[in-house]
Amino acid sequence: MRGVGGPTVRLRRLSGELTRLRREAGFVREEVARRLGVAASTVYRIEAGRTRPHTRTIRDLLDLYGVEGSARDALVELARDAARRGWWRAYDDVLPGPYVGLEAEASSVRNYEPLLVPGLLQTEDYARAVIGAALVKDPAEIERRAAARMERQRRLTGPAPLELWAVLDEAALRRPVGGPPVMAEQLRRLRETAVQPNVTVQVVPFDAGAYLGMGNSTAILAFPDPGDADVVLLENMSGELYLEDPAEIRGYVQVFDHLRAAALGPEKSMEMIISVEKEMAGR
């Protein structure tokens, strides 16, 4: 998956349904493209969830596949829903990938971070320091990226808050991003947020030694509709990689379970956060 617009989960669902219908109707993409008078790449992009099809295109596809009645109405409505603009679209210039759109519709996120505090738990000053260290030098862009990060955090509160389970390496607590005062404030925010019933924070201490999954930033997103498959995000210097294959996702869920087992429990983790916060405040 790469950058797509609109409510990303609905677009994934729509593209999956259109792919299934084409296969059941016995068409290959090239034949669909020829019958609709469009490029084969257009059909591919629609089925890959990389573009939202126009209403006319949806209707033409459903005509071709022989879809009628309530099933047709549901897919047309799903296409309309996928065209709605989410809040993150206002930040398209600084949020080019699909992650924030997926996160905005997720019911839970399991996140492992080896070096940094997760974006959903960052303070503005900490976020600015992280963004500025990532070769972003334009002050206006730094502010927009930080503002988008703060907007994301609204998911942790409200009537249907996001369930967040974050596992951090101890290095994420001790690295004084932005300097000790900024880090002390960040750790204070971390422990204050960790007491929310929908947020769990665990820390893997240095004395745990080597452990399965160490060093690879990972997020596993689950969604409220059982029909929407989980997504795994892997981040590295080359960019973002999204996994949707069920077998791969099961593997990363198992790795996350190992990470939770290697980490201190939530109460012991809180004690460590408080201890490091005091060290940072005293510098």
Side-chain angles (χ1 to χ4, degrees):
M1 293 177 58
R2 295 302 176 197
V4 292
T8 313
V9 174
R10 295 183 181 93
L11 194 58
R12 287 175 67 221
R13 193 183 307 159
L14 177 64
S15 64
E17 284 297 303
L18 292 175
T19 302
R20 179 184 63 80
L21 289 169
R22 173 181 59 76
R23 290 171 176 166
E24 289 179 353
F27 292 110
V28 296
R29 290 191 184 117
E30 290 75 14
E31 185 176 0
V32 172
R34 181 179 60 80
R35 289 181 177 241
L36 267 61
V38 300
S41 60
T42 298
V43 179
Y44 168 77
R45 289 176 63 81
I46 289 172
E47 293 189 355
R50 297 185 181 180
T51 188
R52 293 191 308 274
H54 296 296
T55 302
R56 174 61 184 273
T57 303
I58 285 290
R59 295 186 187 280
D60 289 345
L61 287 168
L62 297 180
D63 286 342
L64 182 61
Y65 302 153
V67 180
E68 299 177 348
S70 60
R72 180 187 183 93
D73 294 341
L75 285 169
V76 170
E77 183 61 27
L78 181 59
R80 291 196 186 101
D81 286 345
R84 293 209 314 264
R85 288 178 62 88
W87 66 262
W88 58 92
R89 296 302 306 278
Y91 295 93
D92 272 354
D93 56 323
V94 294
L95 297 175
Y99 180 78
V100 175
L102 290 167
E103 183 186 83
E105 297 196 350
S107 57
S108 71
V109 174
R110 284 163 283 184
N111 189 191
Y112 164 68
E113 292 292 344
L115 298 174
L116 299 170
V117 172
L120 284 169
L121 301 172
Q122 292 178 5
T123 65
E124 279 194 85
D125 286 340
Y126 184 96
R128 290 188 186 101
V130 171
I131 296 164
L135 302 180
V136 178
K137 301 307 177 187
D138 179 10
E141 182 177 349
I142 292 174
E143 288 302 315
R144 280 184 57 71
R145 287 178 179 269
R149 200 160 294 185
M150 296 305 104
E151 188 71 25
R152 286 171 55 198
Q153 296 178 8
R154 293 178 180 271
R155 282 302 325 277
L156 295 177
T157 58
L162 180 72
E163 296 282 340
L164 173 64
W165 196 308
V167 177
L168 289 67
D169 192 282
E170 185 176 344
L173 305 184
R174 296 195 175 278
R175 185 177 303 278
V177 174
V182 169
M183 196 65 206
E185 179 191 10
Q186 174 60 72
L187 293 172
R188 183 163 58 254
R189 168 73 66 81
L190 185 60
R191 63 174 171 81
E192 289 172 351
T193 308
V195 300
Q196 294 178 201
N198 58 306
V199 177
T200 301
V201 175
Q202 289 183 262
V203 179
V204 183
F206 287 149
D207 61 15
Y211 54 89
L212 181 63
M214 64 184 297
N216 299 303
S217 178
T218 306
I220 305 169
L221 292 84
F223 304 93
D225 190 321
D228 295 324
D230 292 359
V231 175
V232 171
L233 164 67
L234 305 177
E235 290 186 278
N236 55 44
M237 289 295 293
S238 300
E240 299 176 343
L241 175 64
Y242 292 86
L243 305 178
E244 297 181 272
D245 180 81
E248 291 181 314
I249 290 171
R250 284 195 296 271
Y252 277 95
V253 169
Q254 291 176 350
V255 169
F256 193 81
D257 288 341
H258 279 282
L259 289 167
R260 292 191 297 187
L264 299 172
E267 291 184 5
K268 290 293 185 181
S269 295
M270 182 69 74
E271 292 175 7
M272 177 175 283
I273 292 169
I274 292 171
S275 175
V276 180
E277 177 193 340
K278 290 177 179 177
E279 292 178 22
M280 291 292 174
R283 288 193 187 182

